[in-house]
Amino acid sequence: MVRILPMASTIRPSLSSLATTRFGGGISMVNSSKRFNSLHFASSVQSQSQHFGLKSCKLFKQEGNRKPSKTIVNMTQGSTATTQESALEWVKSDKRRMLHVVYRVGDLDRTIKFYTECLGMKLLRKRDIPEERYTNAFLGYGPEDSHFVIELTYNYGVDKYDIGSAFGHFGIAVDDVAKTVDLIKAKGGTVTREPGPVKGGKSIIAFVEDPDGYKFELIERGPTPEPLCQVMLRVGDLDRAITFYEKAFGMELLRRRDNPEYKYTIAMMGYGPEDKSAVLELTYNYGVTEYDKGNAYAQIAIGTDDVYKTAEAVKLFGGKITREPGPLPGISTKITACLDPDGWKTVFVDNIDFVKELE
């Protein structure tokens, strides 16, 4: 079973699916006409320098003579480099934590029953939004203000989704993998990989599937404050992904392991050690550069002290902003949404706003 060590509460929020508006069977972004507009988000170096303390380049001499083009290019390149350096410094100092992971299920009550009875999670809260025809349920091993949790989304009338080939699995740390597998079997759960050492390693693991086909890796590990410990996503260029998550998201490369026998490499990225924090496991399969993402998995949410600076840093380091930073319509919670180079979506939420939202 899962054993949980106490975790000190931190003022770092969890994002609910308020980042998105659901229409019919899927989730679509908030209408662009409702986006928060601001001068903060001009794509020029001059606009970015407003947040990162740079002075705009002067391309003309005081007497009006144009500087040589080579000089202008050098000044622009230098300004951009300084902007990135300032952004990187801020990203590293920002208070960030993986808050929750969002995905869609076809039968909310069935999934809640499996997670609570088989995986030992607690139903933290549930909310129904009939006017938009969806229901959310939040589950995990501790309160949302201090633990990584799951946000399930049920869209009215949609009972099946395509998980695709890009999403991998979620990881759960347990004391005894074999006993947990026996419990899941007794409850009618599906075991896809019996307990045993991981390929190329010594850790004892097993794989099970929930009623919607999402895979969970059970990892034999001692007591931990964060049993919901991993989200595994597949990427087409591991070095590119590592660089992006280090610079744009401020994550640390915790470890990297190549397994040539089975033709894959993994990189563990996160904001703290694997035995105490939830981490992102990026997997590169030799020679595979593209995957089908399906329509089931949605996003990860991460807390930040400033969604405006976060959005600028994401753009500087190669990400795509899909929801400009600003408050959500009707409430004061500030968010921004982006895609990484592989198209994986992340939503950043203002820390203080989310704590207020939970109240």
Side-chain angles (χ1 to χ4, degrees), residues 323-345:
R323 204 275 185 192
E324 292 291 351
L328 288 163
I331 62 174
S332 60
T333 301
K334 295 182 289 293
I335 71 162
T336 189
C338 65
L339 299 179
D340 75 359
D342 286 277
W344 292 114
K345 180 181 174 184

Side-chain angles (χ1 to χ4, degrees), residues 14-22 26-27 100-105 107-109 111-112 115 122-139 144 149-156 161 296 298-299 328 331 354 357:
S14 306
L15 170 72
S16 64
S17 292
L18 291 172
T20 53
T21 301
R22 292 154 177 85
I27 295 182
H100 59 254
V101 60
V102 186
Y103 52 99
R104 305 170 183 96
V105 297
D107 185 326
L108 194 58
D109 291 334
T111 304
I112 290 173
Y115 287 7
K122 296 179 181 179
L123 176 61
L124 303 172
R125 62 186 171 108
K126 189 176 180 179
R127 69 178 179 199
D128 187 40
I129 314 293
E131 63 271 21
E132 296 188 25
R133 299 179 56 78
Y134 74 89
T135 305
N136 290 137
F138 296 79
L139 297 101
E144 293 176 61
V149 306
I150 287 172
E151 178 184 342
L152 301 175
T153 296
Y154 169 70
N155 290 297
Y156 291 9
Y161 293 95
Q299 66 212 28
L328 288 163
I331 62 174
F354 185 76
E357 185 181 315

Side-chain angles (χ1 to χ4, degrees), residues 209-262:
E209 281 187 4
D210 76 358
D212 288 275
Y214 291 101
K215 289 183 171 60
F216 284 80
E217 179 183 14
L218 305 177
I219 306 166
E220 193 156 284
R221 187 181 291 175
T224 173
E226 195 70 284
L228 183 59
C229 58
Q230 289 180 7
V231 177
M232 192 275 259
L233 304 174
R234 298 183 176 93
V235 298
D237 185 326
L238 189 59
D239 290 333
R240 179 186 65 183
I242 290 171
T243 299
F244 176 80
Y245 280 96
E246 285 180 325
K247 293 184 176 181
F249 282 27
M251 289 186 178
E252 179 184 354
L253 175 59
L254 303 171
R255 65 184 173 96
R256 178 171 178 161
R257 188 183 78 223
D258 185 37
N259 198 326
E261 181 181 356
Y262 297 100

Side-chain angles (χ1 to χ4, degrees), residues 41 77 140 144 153 160-161 197 259 283 304 307 349:
F41 306 113
Q77 290 175 342
E144 293 176 61
T153 296
K160 189 174 183 180
Y161 293 95
N259 198 326
T283 297
T304 177
V307 296
V349 196

Side-chain angles (χ1 to χ4, degrees), residues 29-50:
M29 297 310 300
V30 175
N31 190 293
S32 60
S33 65
K34 296 182 180 179
R35 290 178 178 171
F36 183 83
N37 293 318
S38 170
L39 291 177
H40 291 297
F41 306 113
S43 60
S44 67
V45 172
Q46 181 176 357
S47 174
Q48 292 162 346
S49 70
Q50 292 173 359

Side-chain angles (χ1 to χ4, degrees), residues 293-315:
K293 289 186 172 58
N295 62 356
Y297 175 87
Q299 66 212 28
I300 288 176
I302 296 175
T304 177
D305 283 340
D306 192 320
V307 296
Y308 302 99
K309 288 184 178 180
T310 292
E312 291 184 357
V314 167
K315 287 186 282 189

